[in-house]
Amino acid sequence: MKKIFTIALAAVALLSSCSKDFLTKEPALAQSDVLTLSTFEGIDKAVAGAYAPLASTSWYCGDFILSNEMRTMNGKRWVQFTRYNSGRYLEDYSVNFTATNTSGVWSYGYYVILSANSAIAALDNVEAPEQDKNNVKAEALFLRALSHFDLVRTFAQPYNYTADASHLGVPVVLTVDSEAKPERSTVKVVYQQIIDDLLEAEKIIDPSYSRKGVTDATASANINSIRALLSRVYLYSEQWQKAADYATLVINSGKYKMWTPDQVASIKDGEFSSVFTQDVPAEGEVIFEVYENLSQSYGGGNENVCGMTSFNGYGDCGASKDLLNLYEQKDVRSLLVMPDYDGNALFTMKYFGKGLSSIDANNTIVLRLSEMYLNRAEALINGASIPGATALGDLETVAKNRNASVQPATKSGVYTERAKELAWEGHLWFDLARTGRAMTRKDVSGTQVPTSIEPKDYRWAMPIPDREFTVNPNLVQNDGYNK
């Protein structure tokens, strides 16, 4: 059962503590919220702590990735093998949700939003160098934007569902008010707020800023993660030139480099190796990721992404032959779809674990360099222009670093390359929705599992949690679900 809370409930508490492994030195946990937010140091620690729910099993280290993949041709429940049939992700695989069984992103997303809002408001009342305050505010704005973005993608139809994006999105929350009963804003308004937050964050952050005292520097926001998210948001809202412009800024930053084929996946002396299972990135493609370790309070053990996609864990979330068949034999990404020890069920190897113990953990990559090339390629095909850049060149950059044949510089070519490159990173369901393509799959198991969902089907938007309506009568449920 997914965890569902209310906006009002989330407003009661502020994330003033940090996950145990995010900071190398833990903040004091005994302070009240008022005391914590009375100093710049306290606010800084509170913002650091606001990243922690992203590692929840309802968000990036669980359902948000798993549910979106299991609803597409990438996922499969290998129900014929008892050990991979614990009963989890039945509704996700069959795309059969109700208002009492829906995404927990609602609760955690608004929890982070309200935490960010509290920190932003408190910064006006403390003494500190202006740039230091701006850097922390930029992080809070990034978190608020990312949260609103994941919420609107999950609980609303895609941006182009209506010609002017006037259909219902999610409530935009910019203040801390436990008595507020916000209505759902239009998708256009939600996207504009996301963009406004990211543009302000880009404007005020020190371009060289990186959060200090963290285990994983890529697990906190900086100028490039802000710009990378802007590229994605502009892509989703079909603002092609801006999508290309921001992807180019990240590509040209010189901070990231494409992984080589051997880094992506290799098997040497019988041992599987991949950058997807590293603990802390040194250099490479990762722009922003969610760091997870076993001692994190939001981890969830075998119910995290690692456990649910592993033949050493529950294994309810397997990979399909449809996905494996996308790859040429020479394509190293084919090694990221592997059978279990018996050579039967297939699983993604992007969450194979860090080798910490039998109950393992894995970081979840949210933004990386190859996506920026693919964002730019799609934008260029749709009319954007970047001096010296071509869609074919960007597709070649990705393909040559995967030992793969280059896709044609067409919409179909970009979509195919995105499907291959970003599989099991939570993209395909949203890519199908925003581009108006049906979800189709052939390799399915079990009964009442749809093999196709057409564009504009009500199931592209998940139901708002039922208990939200008991505290906020101003909400309206999505079409297709009983309130």
Side-chain angles (χ1 to χ4, degrees), residues 3-18 33 46-47 49-56 58-59 104-119 140 143-144 147-148 151 171 173 175-176 297-298 468:
K3 300 180 181 68
I4 303 171
F5 302 104
T6 65
I7 294 177
L9 180 61
V12 174
L14 171 72
L15 285 176
S16 58
S17 64
C18 303
D33 294 342
V47 171
Y51 288 93
L54 273 64
S56 163
S58 287
W59 208 343
V105 171
W106 183 278
S107 63
Y108 285 100
Y110 280 111
Y111 198 89
V112 171
I113 287 168
L114 289 162
S115 299
N117 290 344
S118 296
L143 286 168
R144 188 167 77 180
S147 300
H148 276 122
L151 286 162
V173 179
T175 61
V176 180
S297 59
Y298 284 88
E468 287 297 319

Side-chain angles (χ1 to χ4, degrees), residues 373-395:
Y373 280 106
L374 294 170
N375 286 0
R376 189 169 71 177
E378 184 176 343
L380 292 171
I381 287 169
N382 281 283
S385 177
I386 298 292
T390 66
L392 182 61
D394 287 343
L395 290 168

Side-chain angles (χ1 to χ4, degrees), residues 18 38 104-105 116 128 135 165 170-171 196 286 288-289 293 302 394 413 466:
C18 303
S38 65
V105 171
N135 291 337
V170 295
D196 288 347
V286 178
F288 179 77
E289 69 178 2
N293 209 320
N302 271 335
D394 287 343
D466 183 65

Side-chain angles (χ1 to χ4, degrees), residues 151-152 155-158 161-162 165-171 183-188 190 461 464 474-479:
L151 286 162
V152 76
F155 296 102
Q157 292 283 352
Y161 182 75
T162 54
S166 60
H167 53 292
L168 288 178
V170 295
E183 297 180 351
R184 296 176 66 179
S185 299
T186 66
V187 167
K188 184 174 184 178
V190 179
I464 293 172
N474 294 325
L475 288 176
V476 177
Q477 183 60 277
N478 284 322
D479 292 338

Side-chain angles (χ1 to χ4, degrees), residues 34 44 76 108 124 153 208 241 254 281 296 328 335 360 379 428 445 457 473:
V34 173
D44 184 49
K76 181 176 180 178
Y108 285 100
D124 290 335
R153 289 194 293 167
S208 65
Q241 187 60 52
Q296 281 193 299
E328 306 161 276
L335 296 177
D360 214 338
L428 182 56
S445 58
D457 188 288

Side-chain angles (χ1 to χ4, degrees), residues 18-36:
C18 303
S19 64
K20 294 180 181 178
D21 287 281
F22 184 74
L23 294 177
T24 55
K25 181 179 179 181
E26 286 189 50
L29 303 180
Q31 304 176 76
S32 70
D33 294 342
V34 173
L35 179 59
T36 297

